[in-house]
Amino acid sequence: MGKTQAVAAAEGAAGDAGGVARARLPLLDVLRGVAILGTLMSNVWIFAGPGAEWGVLSGNTGISAGADLTSLAGMAETVFQSLANGKFLSMLTILFGVGLAIQFRSAAKRGQPWPGRYKWRALFLFAEGTVHFVFVFAWDVLMGYAVVALLVAWLLTRSARAQRVTWIAMGGLHLAAMTLLTAATLLAPGGKTGDGAGSGAGSGPDASTVKLYAEGGYTEQIAFRLSHALALRMEPVLSFALLVFLFLLGVRLFRAGAFQGDEAGRRIRRRLAGWGLGIGLPLTTLTVLGGSDFFLLERYGAAPVLAIGYLGLIGMVMDRLRHPGPLASAVTSALTSVGRTALSCYVLQNVLAMLACYGIGLGLASRWADNGPWWVMGLWAAICLVLVTGASLWLRRFEHGPLESVQKRLLRR
């Protein structure tokens, strides 16, 4: 739904925080590229659904109230969404923690104070996220990440024990909160324990909101976001403990050598894949089959576990591509390009989806509303193609992405 976006995490994960060249970790660029394209796998359904951004709060997370698992289209939509929902967002969060750890290590090697100038990076990220929220996409992730980044940056100056206790406490708090909220949903009138209809589906967005995104003007949509800002900013609040947990997990994985190319790193990646996929896939399946009342446990419970499995699996694939063929090299190069321009690609993908789906652009969400899920998947693939092509061409001439360059110039020491 973004590190230094995620993104800028992005930059931090391999970038240079202080002007001294440092070898990049190739795996991190690939992981960021996958995560950026993966967030669009989730967000594209928001753009294409009735009521768009507001529709999520009404229970709509796809183009229909509920996919028919007896049809091929329904199964495809369910699998497509389930493999992405919350998983790649969790990956981005972990990778931001990795970037934070790299920048902390860089500052320590130089004998520079911490968080020092990093706080300006976080504040700039918050400003970027605010602009993105107002003018592009209500479910922006940058603002929440900026706030959590400031907290975790301070935590890195505390003892290892304090970081470990915070990590465990935040994970436990989040799990307890999601469990209690899911139980409350099930016990509420209309939940599974009520009339069996499932309360998570909601009644859908009102007709005026659907019309706003299908036919309304751009300034009207901006005004709507601003007037409903509190509700539309609820996800970072709801998932705050999870964000802190995943940031610190990224720090721990980096310090353990999980992204290095040696045997120790490969061993960690195999463990991540085994545990993450082994636990995450069954949990995701159960929560999806449980219906919309289990949405919170799917997106904020099972998703982070499966994201860990994705990290390990992608790492294992990269470990095997020591001498990749032409196709594997092209794919790796494309993902690396997106990963190196992560902030720019994150914002651009949402701009493209907005222009494709809303009435201010092509209006596909209303024009193709009855055409099933295939066009949404096709739109995702088309935007991904634009991103990988654009990023690859851009990096042939420039060292950083356009927004990354702006950020570096404004924050230059």
Side-chain angles (χ1 to χ4, degrees):
M1 259 179 241
K3 254 193 154 235
T4 261
Q5 168 205 33
V7 148
E11 182 187 295
D16 175 63
V20 176
R22 182 170 66 241
R24 301 179 71 93
L25 295 174
L27 176 58
L28 289 178
D29 286 327
V30 173
L31 288 171
R32 279 194 301 275
V34 172
I36 289 294
L37 300 181
T39 58
L40 184 61
M41 284 183 71
S42 296
N43 291 346
V44 70
W45 299 97
I46 299 176
F47 288 103
E53 301 160 316
W54 189 253
V56 177
L57 299 179
S58 306
N60 287 344
T61 55
I63 61 172
S64 56
D68 179 10
L69 294 180
T70 63
S71 68
L72 178 60
M75 291 181 62
E77 179 179 348
T78 298
V79 171
F80 191 94
Q81 290 200 58
S82 299
L83 290 177
N85 184 26
K87 285 73 175 179
F88 296 102
L89 181 62
S90 293
M91 279 184 62
L92 282 171
T93 311
I94 294 170
L95 291 171
F96 190 93
V98 174
L100 197 54
I102 291 176
Q103 294 186 55
F104 175 76
R105 184 185 67 175
S106 176
K109 286 184 176 180
R110 294 182 178 88
Q112 297 172 339
W114 180 266
R117 294 185 62 88
Y118 179 80
K119 60 180 178 291
W120 296 111
R121 286 176 173 266
L123 292 174
F124 183 78
L125 179 64
F126 187 88
E128 287 180 318
T130 302
V131 173
H132 185 240
F133 166 80
V134 173
F135 294 103
V136 182
F137 189 43
W139 294 96
D140 165 79
V141 302
L142 305 179
M143 298 167 70
Y145 284 176
V147 174
V148 175
L150 285 173
L151 172 61
V152 176
W154 173 79
L155 280 171
L156 293 186
T157 66
R158 305 296 95 184
S159 67
R161 182 177 183 276
Q163 294 175 38
R164 183 171 61 254
V165 169
T166 302
W167 181 58
I168 295 173
M170 286 297 179
L173 175 62
H174 173 74
L175 182 59
M178 293 303 102
T179 301
L180 290 175
L181 288 173
T182 299
T185 300
L186 291 169
L187 295 173
K192 296 293 184 184
T193 58
D195 62 10
S199 63
S203 57
D206 58 84
S208 62
T209 305
V210 174
K211 184 177 180 180
L212 169 66
Y213 286 97
E215 304 174 14
Y218 184 49
T219 56
E220 295 176 275
Q221 293 176 11
I222 292 175
F224 183 85
R225 289 191 198 103
L226 292 174
S227 62
H228 295 81
L230 290 179
L232 291 170
R233 292 286 75 208
M234 66 179 294
E235 183 172 53
V237 177
L238 182 68
S239 61
F240 181 80
L242 175 63
L243 293 178
V244 176
F245 175 85
L246 293 177
F247 269 52
L248 289 172
L249 175 61
V251 172
R252 294 173 67 88
L253 288 176
F254 172 74
R255 290 175 173 175
F259 306 100
Q260 298 292 338
D262 55 15
E263 179 55 35
R266 289 190 288 272
R267 183 167 57 250
I268 293 174
R269 291 191 283 275
R270 289 194 294 269
R271 291 176 179 174
L272 292 176
W275 286 102
L277 297 176
I279 298 175
L281 283 174
L283 282 179
T284 298
T285 301
L286 289 174
T287 52
V288 169
L289 294 178
S292 55
D293 285 324
F294 290 89
F295 174 80
L296 291 176
L297 281 182
E298 179 201 353
R299 182 171 176 82
Y300 305 112
V305 179
L306 192 52
I308 293 172
Y310 286 177
L311 285 173
L313 179 61
I314 295 168
M316 289 177 62
V317 171
M318 289 293 294
D319 290 337
R320 291 181 177 274
L321 296 178
R322 300 301 178 85
H323 304 287
L327 178 59
S329 295
V331 172
T332 300
S333 176
L335 292 174
T336 298
S337 296
V338 174
R340 291 180 57 192
T341 57
L343 177 59
S344 299
C345 286
Y346 171 70
V347 173
L348 179 60
Q349 69 185 22
N350 291 331
V351 171
L352 293 176
M354 175 183 71
L355 293 176
C357 294
Y358 296 173
I360 60 174
L362 298 178
L364 299 183
S366 59
R367 290 171 53 190
W368 291 354
D370 299 324
N371 290 351
W374 303 111
W375 74 268
V376 184
M377 301 179 199
L379 176 63
W380 170 76
I383 294 177
C384 287
L385 181 60
V386 171
L387 294 178
V388 298
T389 302
S392 299
L393 293 175
W394 181 273
L395 290 176
R396 289 182 182 179
R397 297 192 59 184
F398 304 98
E399 183 180 359
H400 306 288
L403 292 183
E404 287 81 358
S405 296
V406 171
Q407 183 185 63
K408 279 184 170 294
R409 289 179 181 179
L410 291 178
L411 299 179
R412 182 176 297 165
R413 298 176 189 277

